[in-house]
Amino acid sequence: MRIMTSNIWGCYFGNPAAERIDAIEATLKRYDADVIGIQEMCPRWYENDLAGRMQDRYTFVSGFIGNHSPLFFKKDIFDIVETGWMRYSRVFDVSKSVTWAVLETKDQHKKIAVFNTHMFWNNKVSDEDERRESNAMELLEKMRSMKEKYGNIPTVAFGDFNSTADGLAMKYLNANNVFSAYELADVWSEVSSHHGNPVRGEDGKYLGTKTTNDKTQSIDHVVFFKDELKVKEHRVVEDQDILNATDHSPVYVDFVF
């Protein structure tokens, strides 16, 4: 199974979704993940109908226009058992939330719980890292509640955690036996997922560049309980069209389910 997470650089910075949607759509379809989590899907992405462009392959899980962290999953592979959404209690920002789904495979009737999230970011507050740690606590509680409800089913969380390896959120998850895929995979990317904002060139088009930061500086994660699932590959996507379209490289993970 393949899961992909992608922060698509909102539409808050004079960076119109309409100029970048083709590259986002192309990348999502190119890597053909079974489950996709999107962050910063602001209303302009709904207006430009990213979900409609994907509907030939994917069911869209959002709940409402303005859910900035929706899910997509392959309609020919999964049925929905349950979906939900919550805003983190220590964040006063609708974009910082969790969307989850319990999915069941059509062929073998195996269940898995998936959680797409975007955690706190505001470098003007002194307790920024502590708030992310609180977000991680709430996320883990929700993951455990789905395991309890459905009989210890596998759970995978992914998204923009805004936390590097040494941040409190990731340290809290690690202390509770939850790790980023690059720590568990047989093969992994050595580079960070965040490469910075694309800039407009003289031709008026966006141009993004690869990062030189290593994987410990990643803030986009796919996390697993250790030893719950066999993680085969972790990859940070650095295709030029996606570098031009967003400040975060998508991350995908292949694992055995």
Side-chain angles (χ1 to χ4, degrees), residues 106-162:
K106 293 177 181 288
D107 56 353
Q108 297 182 329
H109 303 289
K110 295 170 65 177
K111 293 184 179 67
I112 187 170
V114 295
F115 301 81
N116 178 36
T117 188
H118 196 174
M119 293 187 182
F120 185 81
W121 181 88
N122 186 335
N123 60 9
K124 296 179 181 179
V125 300
S126 60
D127 63 345
E128 178 184 8
D129 209 25
E130 288 77 8
R131 293 195 194 194
R132 280 192 291 272
E133 181 182 35
S134 174
N135 297 165
M137 292 176 182
E138 291 184 67
L139 173 63
L140 184 61
E141 181 181 6
K142 180 58 67 174
M143 293 170 70
R144 285 173 169 165
S145 73
M146 291 298 106
K147 293 177 76 66
E148 181 178 354
K149 182 175 181 179
Y150 291 100
N152 201 34
I153 61 174
T155 60
V156 185
F158 40 89
D160 180 356
F161 289 54
N162 276 312

Side-chain angles (χ1 to χ4, degrees), residues 182-250:
Y182 64 70
E183 298 189 76
L184 303 173
D186 295 334
V187 180
W188 59 89
S189 290
E190 290 288 354
V191 298
S192 169
S193 59
H194 184 256
H195 58 83
N197 293 353
V199 297
R200 287 193 185 274
E202 293 182 358
D203 60 359
K205 296 180 180 179
Y206 281 112
L207 178 66
T209 56
K210 294 181 180 181
T211 184
T212 58
N213 293 329
D214 71 16
K215 64 181 185 296
T216 63
Q217 298 305 301
S218 288
I219 58 177
D220 305 278
H221 301 278
V222 183
V223 301
F224 298 81
F225 285 95
K226 189 176 182 180
D227 301 324
E228 183 171 66
L229 293 162
K230 172 66 173 175
V231 185
K232 297 169 63 179
E233 181 178 4
H234 160 276
R235 181 176 173 189
V236 174
V237 176
E238 294 188 294
D239 301 347
Q240 191 59 55
D241 60 343
I242 198 66
L243 292 176
N244 295 346
T246 174
D247 57 336
H248 292 244
S249 287

